[in-house]
Amino acid sequence: LKAPSGRFLLTASHAGVRQGLLVKRVQHCADEPPTISVSVKKGHVLSPLIRDSARFGLCELAPADRILTRLFARPAELLDEDPFLGHAMVPLEDAHDQPIPKCAATWLACDLLRHLDIESDYELYIGRVIESGVLSAGSSSAVAADRTSIPGRTEVDDGTSSNDPNGVNRKRATA
């Protein structure tokens, strides 16, 4: 079966806990109100956060963004307490505090309309889009420079920054 898919980061936050999960299946559902659906493998780390907050964020990852892809490709039990530390976030209105990294190519902040637990290995989240944004062309290097240091760690240049055509400074965090 061939269906549309992409590289997206589903995010959620509740009671001071922030988490994210890479997802591939996202679909536009309706125009009025603007609505999307996200298909997620059952048993994921975001389920209680989305259920309790009744909100989620969805970010399309920029093709050149390897940092978020590598970070959220790891199993949830290997992620730090807050995997978003060190990343600049899109400022959202107070009631919608879902973590949206500024380096996302496009992003949506959504209120949960429905959660469907279908008889398969995936479940569906349907959300009404409250806010959205697009990373302006040519600003990926400015956003990468906007990332802050992770407290308690230092950044070390790994020597690959000089030849990067995107102007992204490649650094790795060390303890």
Side-chain angles (χ1 to χ4, degrees):
L1 175 65
K2 256 327 204 180
S5 65
R7 213 167 50 143
F8 298 90
L9 177 63
L10 181 67
T11 67
S13 165
H14 183 69
V17 177
R18 302 189 301 180
Q19 257 322 328
L21 176 74
L22 291 178
V23 296
K24 294 181 182 177
R25 295 169 179 95
V26 174
Q27 184 68 45
H28 176 223
C29 295
D31 293 329
E32 197 54 47
T35 307
I36 55 123
S37 67
V38 182
S39 178
V40 183
K41 193 161 183 80
K42 286 184 181 176
H44 58 88
V45 68
L46 294 181
S47 185
L49 298 176
I50 294 173
R51 178 194 65 225
D52 295 344
S53 70
R55 295 184 167 99
F56 62 88
L58 186 67
C59 312
E60 181 182 11
L61 298 180
D65 193 335
R66 294 185 189 129
I67 294 172
L68 290 177
T69 302
R70 286 181 184 165
L71 176 64
F72 290 100
R74 298 185 295 181
E77 58 271 6
L78 297 180
L79 291 176
D80 291 333
E81 232 176 80
D82 185 348
F84 295 100
L85 283 177
H87 296 275
M89 296 289 129
V90 171
L92 299 174
E93 52 184 70
D94 293 335
H96 214 296
D97 61 349
Q98 303 313 306
I100 306 285
K102 278 188 177 180
C103 58
T106 62
W107 59 268
L108 306 169
C110 302
D111 282 344
L112 181 65
L113 291 178
R114 295 282 184 274
H115 169 243
L116 300 173
D117 188 2
I118 55 180
E119 294 182 22
S120 74
D121 57 341
Y122 279 75
E123 57 190 342
L124 291 174
Y125 291 97
I126 300 172
R128 179 172 45 105
V129 178
I130 302 302
E131 286 186 68
S132 63
V134 177
L135 178 66
S136 58
S139 63
S140 61
S141 60
V143 171
D146 216 10
R147 289 188 174 125
T148 57
S149 297
I150 299 171
R153 297 184 182 181
T154 58
E155 289 187 344
V156 178
D157 190 344
D158 68 4
T160 62
S161 61
S162 59
N163 295 329
D164 191 328
N166 297 321
V168 177
N169 192 8
R170 305 270 183 230
K171 294 184 178 184
R172 58 184 167 82
T174 58

